[in-house]
Amino acid sequence: MAFDGIVTQKIVKELKNILGFKIDKIYEPDKNTVTLGLYGKNLNLSLLICISSNNCRIHLTTHNQKNPTIAPNFCMLLRKHLIGFKIKNIYTIDLERIVFIELENNENPNKPITKKLIVELMGKHSNIILTDTNSIVIDSLRHTSTLENSTRDIYPTSRYIFPISSKYSFLELKDFNDFYSILEPILSNYIASEVQNIDTLDIKNFNIEKIISDTFNGISLSTVHNIMENLEITTISKENLELIFNKLCELIKSDNTQILVDENKKDYYLGIGSQLETNPFKINYSLDDFYFEKESSELFKNYRNTLLNLILANLKKYEKRLENIDSKLSECNNMEKFRLYGELITSNLYRITNKNQSSIELENYYDNNSLITIPLDKKYSPSYNAKRYFKKYSKLKNALEIVNSQKLETIQDINYIESVIYELDNCTTIEDIEIIYEEISENSLFSDKLKKKNSSSNKKNKAKPITKNKFSSFNPLKYVIDGYTILVGRNNKENDYLTCKFANKDDIWFHTKDIHGSHVILKTNPSENIPEDILLEAAKIAAKHSKAKNSSHVPVDFCKVSFVKKPNGSKPGFVIYSNNRTLYV
């Protein structure tokens, strides 16, 4: 449901309870949001104003937001003009999505100062505007001008003009007859243009929600859609339109409306609540929780997708590198042939006439003197051709060792990148993603794709590294089975710390065999015999937290932690182990 005029009206009605509260704090967490810290009646409240095109709204909030270290210009201006002011009045006009907050400073009783904060919640045209007593704009979060194809001038020193709407006012309707008399011509024109009959008009082919929303001010398409779903209206008739009208009137007039969230938690709608509800800000805080969950989910997905795209681009780069290495290795497979060519030419120089030849046929004494054709470069003598073959052989021989080393290193790099992708796929919170971001920021594999952000705000927000303190930034998943504790690392850095620092040498380490997954530690006492069923349960947990979690018959290696080693300079999460056994789960 959109934050329409009906919701705005309900919000403002609850916000009447903050009249007299003083503004003591002002923040601007991002370019679309301003929060006002309020104090009054022995309460500290926070009023959130958001003009994001997708989530524009105003309501009280209990969720803290991260604020930049240096306040933006508009935030500084609001602090200069509004700190210490009290809320004198808050109201809307008709069902417009515009909230007027009248503010007053009575420090000088003989000459009170009044200002007005105007919040326009109109999708991509939303704005926050500060005006003086004479409705002259002091400043606004967004500036617009008629010279730039805007309908109004909104910038400092311009006069605030209320936006003009061509829609009908629903609140001015006396009864259903007024409602229907406005809709009837529109319906008739639609039916005529679509060549349809009113008696057989199927709702699926008739966008009545949009017609009502486009005709009357402050009523969103989703509001009408929810009403029609709740009333199970499937056809358009005068009787059904009256049901819609009556429900709209009930929602607007009722003092017991509440926010109801649909099953998939992606949308909300207004419903009639209980008379027993005593929270004066029930709609404010319900919307606060809904939008907090929605924006957290959107932020999480955007953050994860951005990081995933960067990592996948890096993976593609290293896979391309591996292809080039394999191509070089295939060239190295021919090096013995080049050596043979050089030897045969050298040993037969006395037989070869020194003239331009493109090839020569010689006996191969390594193959029962069978004839072999050797290509030659006409530009050079036979002896120089032999020298070139020996040089090519020597070059490929030297390259073979280097390329084999490069291939092994590249395969390890690809395995590490794939392990990071696995971690990212299993993240559930933004904090989890921040830890992975911190991990790859420290890794040279991503140096050309990822520039570390060194601003003070990012230093403040980045994940804390795991240190020697066992309780710093260390929060593995924990299972307790029959008194045995099983710990699971959530990312590569935590895997390293869990296995190499936190675990005791007699604890048992588990990991899926040749499959990306988390390190799993089964805590034990020295000289304790662990029951087989506990080992099996720990192996199942290791399989569950691996890339093979949806597979059956997964091999899981396990051994004592004392047999697990981390090579110097190896990638995060990489270890080698010995004296292991394998369980299939």
Side-chain angles (χ1 to χ4, degrees):
M1 177 178 185
F3 197 93
D4 63 8
I6 301 176
V7 176
T8 305
Q9 183 196 63
K10 301 299 181 183
I11 287 288
V12 169
K13 189 172 183 178
E14 290 187 350
L15 290 179
K16 293 286 187 181
N17 291 295
I18 64 173
L19 298 184
F21 277 61
K22 180 182 289 188
I23 299 175
D24 58 359
K25 296 174 184 177
I26 299 177
Y27 299 106
E28 189 177 332
D30 57 62
K31 62 180 182 180
N32 294 317
T33 308
V34 170
T35 58
L36 306 179
L38 309 173
Y39 178 76
K41 302 177 183 178
N42 296 321
L43 292 175
N44 285 298
L45 301 176
S46 181
L47 181 65
L48 181 143
I49 304 170
C50 178
I51 60 169
S52 165
S53 58
N54 296 326
N55 298 316
C56 57
R57 64 197 190 274
I58 178 172
H59 56 71
L60 295 175
T61 181
T62 58
H63 300 287
N64 295 326
Q65 299 195 41
K66 294 178 181 178
N67 297 299
T69 305
I70 301 175
N73 292 338
F74 186 67
C75 178
M76 294 297 291
L77 179 133
L78 291 181
R79 289 176 180 177
K80 173 184 175 182
H81 286 273
L82 300 185
I83 292 292
F85 275 66
K86 289 185 177 181
I87 297 177
K88 181 181 178 182
N89 193 15
I90 181 167
Y91 62 92
T92 60
I93 296 175
D94 196 33
L95 288 180
E96 291 285 355
R97 292 174 295 166
I98 302 176
V99 180
F100 297 88
I101 305 175
E102 293 182 352
L103 304 158
E104 186 176 61
N105 190 332
N106 289 321
E107 289 184 0
N108 184 352
N110 297 322
K111 194 177 180 181
I113 302 172
T114 59
K115 290 176 184 175
K116 189 181 290 183
L117 194 64
I118 304 170
V119 181
E120 298 184 343
L121 305 171
M122 301 181 293
K124 64 180 181 180
H125 302 294
S126 299
N127 207 347
I128 302 174
I129 305 163
L130 179 65
T131 67
D132 62 13
T133 308
N134 300 314
S135 294
I136 301 299
V137 175
I138 298 173
D139 206 348
S140 60
L141 194 51
R142 294 174 181 168
H143 295 172
T144 63
S145 171
T146 52
L147 298 176
E148 299 174 353
N149 298 323
S150 176
T151 57
R152 296 178 298 159
D153 289 328
I154 301 292
Y155 52 78
T157 71
S158 65
R159 180 172 293 278
Y160 177 75
I161 300 173
F162 192 83
I164 299 173
S165 175
S166 60
K167 296 182 180 181
Y168 291 91
S169 170
F170 188 87
L171 296 183
E172 293 179 359
L173 300 178
K174 296 178 181 178
D175 51 29
F176 170 69
N177 290 331
D178 285 356
F179 178 77
Y180 188 72
S181 64
I182 294 172
L183 283 181
E184 187 178 23
I186 301 173
L187 296 174
S188 299
N189 290 336
Y190 182 89
I191 293 166
S193 64
E194 298 294 325
V195 194
Q196 298 186 55
N197 191 313
I198 188 66
D199 297 327
T200 60
L201 197 57
D202 193 316
I203 194 171
K204 294 179 181 178
N205 302 319
F206 193 82
N207 201 351
I208 187 64
E209 303 104 311
K210 190 174 189 307
I211 290 176
I212 294 176
S213 177
D214 290 346
T215 305
F216 296 99
N217 194 29
I219 300 174
S220 67
L221 185 149
S222 56
T223 298
V224 183
H225 179 75
N226 283 319
I227 290 174
M228 294 173 68
E229 279 195 342
N230 292 333
L231 296 176
E232 298 181 351
I233 294 175
T234 57
T235 58
I236 300 302
S237 64
K238 188 172 182 179
E239 292 74 17
N240 286 336
L241 288 173
E242 187 169 7
L243 291 175
I244 295 172
F245 172 80
N246 291 336
K247 190 64 177 179
L248 285 171
C249 291
E250 183 183 7
L251 286 176
I252 294 171
K253 295 176 182 178
S254 176
D255 293 328
N256 298 304
T257 50
Q258 63 180 355
I259 297 296
L260 301 174
V261 180
D262 59 17
E263 292 182 359
N264 57 18
K265 296 185 178 180
K266 292 185 178 180
D267 204 355
Y268 66 91
Y269 58 93
L270 279 174
I272 306 300
S274 169
Q275 294 279 357
L276 300 176
E277 181 64 57
T278 57
N279 186 348
F281 304 117
K282 61 180 179 180
I283 294 180
N284 274 263
Y285 289 136
S286 294
L287 285 178
D288 178 40
D289 291 338
F290 173 82
Y291 279 107
F292 177 77
E293 292 294 331
K294 180 183 178 183
E295 291 182 334
S296 297
S297 177
E298 290 174 351
L299 179 62
F300 172 79
K301 289 178 182 177
N302 292 337
Y303 194 1
R304 184 181 64 181
N305 291 341
T306 300
L307 204 56
L308 181 61
N309 289 336
L310 182 148
I311 295 170
L312 288 175
N314 226 35
L315 177 62
K316 186 176 180 180
K317 167 188 166 183
Y318 279 87
E319 286 176 340
K320 183 66 176 177
R321 178 180 295 181
L322 185 60
E323 288 180 10
N324 294 335
I325 289 173
D326 286 336
S327 176
K328 289 180 181 178
L329 283 174
S330 66
E331 291 180 15
C332 292
N333 293 333
N334 295 322
M335 67 181 185
E336 291 298 330
K337 180 178 71 174
F338 297 138
R339 181 187 61 80
L340 175 64
Y341 287 172
E343 285 186 5
L344 292 179
I345 294 173
T346 303
S347 62
N348 288 280
L349 279 175
Y350 68 95
R351 296 172 53 191
I352 304 172
T353 57
N354 193 9
K355 63 178 182 179
N356 295 339
Q357 298 182 69
S358 60
S359 64
I360 188 171
E361 194 174 66
L362 299 172
E363 296 90 355
N364 181 6
Y365 45 75
Y366 287 108
D367 188 20
N368 297 322
N369 288 330
S370 60
L371 294 177
I372 183 172
T373 301
I374 301 174
L376 296 177
D377 192 326
K378 289 183 179 182
K379 295 184 293 184
Y380 305 114
S381 65
S383 61
Y384 193 77
N385 270 283
K387 186 177 180 180
R388 291 183 70 206
Y389 277 125
F390 281 129
K391 186 175 181 180
K392 187 177 290 188
Y393 163 74
S394 178
K395 183 178 180 181
L396 291 176
K397 183 180 178 181
N398 293 332
L400 181 62
E401 184 178 350
I402 296 172
V403 172
N404 276 327
S405 175
Q406 288 178 340
K407 182 173 182 177
L408 180 62
E409 183 180 342
T410 302
I411 290 174
Q412 290 176 347
D413 291 340
I414 289 174
N415 286 335
Y416 170 68
I417 295 172
E418 287 177 344
S419 74
V420 175
I421 293 173
Y422 163 76
E423 291 175 20
L424 202 57
D425 286 341
N426 288 275
C427 286
T428 56
T429 65
I430 292 175
E431 288 71 24
D432 291 342
I433 299 177
E434 287 177 343
I435 293 173
I436 294 175
Y437 177 84
E438 181 70 15
E439 176 186 332
I440 67 175
S441 297
E442 297 169 357
N443 199 297
S444 59
L445 292 181
F446 299 90
S447 58
D448 60 336
K449 293 285 183 182
L450 180 67
K451 294 181 179 179
K452 293 183 72 174
K453 299 177 182 180
N454 295 318
S455 66
S456 56
S457 61
N458 285 317
K459 286 183 180 180
K460 176 183 175 182
N461 297 333
K462 69 180 182 180
K464 296 180 181 178
I466 295 178
T467 65
K468 292 182 179 180
N469 181 353
K470 293 186 178 183
F471 303 100
S472 175
S473 296
F474 180 61
N475 186 29
L477 301 176
K478 183 177 180 181
Y479 296 85
V480 177
I481 301 175
D482 294 339
Y484 289 92
T485 300
I486 301 172
L487 302 175
V488 182
R490 297 171 302 156
N491 51 70
N492 282 325
K493 295 182 74 174
E494 197 166 82
N495 285 336
D496 278 350
Y497 188 78
L498 177 63
T499 300
C500 304
K501 300 288 185 181
F502 187 84
N504 298 320
K505 64 179 182 178
D506 291 317
D507 293 338
I508 301 179
W509 177 87
F510 293 80
H511 195 281
T512 44
K513 185 179 181 66
D514 300 326
I515 301 171
H516 293 300
S518 299
H519 291 203
V520 176
I521 296 294
L522 172 61
K523 299 295 292 180
T524 65
N525 294 320
S527 304
E528 181 182 11
N529 290 323
I530 307 298
E532 286 293 326
D533 59 333
I534 296 299
L535 294 175
L536 187 62
E537 288 300 322
K540 288 180 179 178
I541 290 173
K544 176 183 175 182
H545 294 278
S546 75
K547 205 169 183 179
K549 60 185 176 182
N550 296 322
S551 304
S552 58
H553 206 60
V554 180
V556 178
D557 287 341
F558 69 97
C559 63
K560 284 192 174 183
V561 170
S562 57
F563 296 115
V564 182
K565 308 296 180 186
K566 184 169 183 63
N568 290 334
S570 60
K571 301 289 189 298
F574 179 80
V575 293
I576 56 176
Y577 55 93
S578 58
N579 294 63
N580 59 287
R581 290 168 52 196
T582 303
L583 287 173
Y584 289 86
V585 295

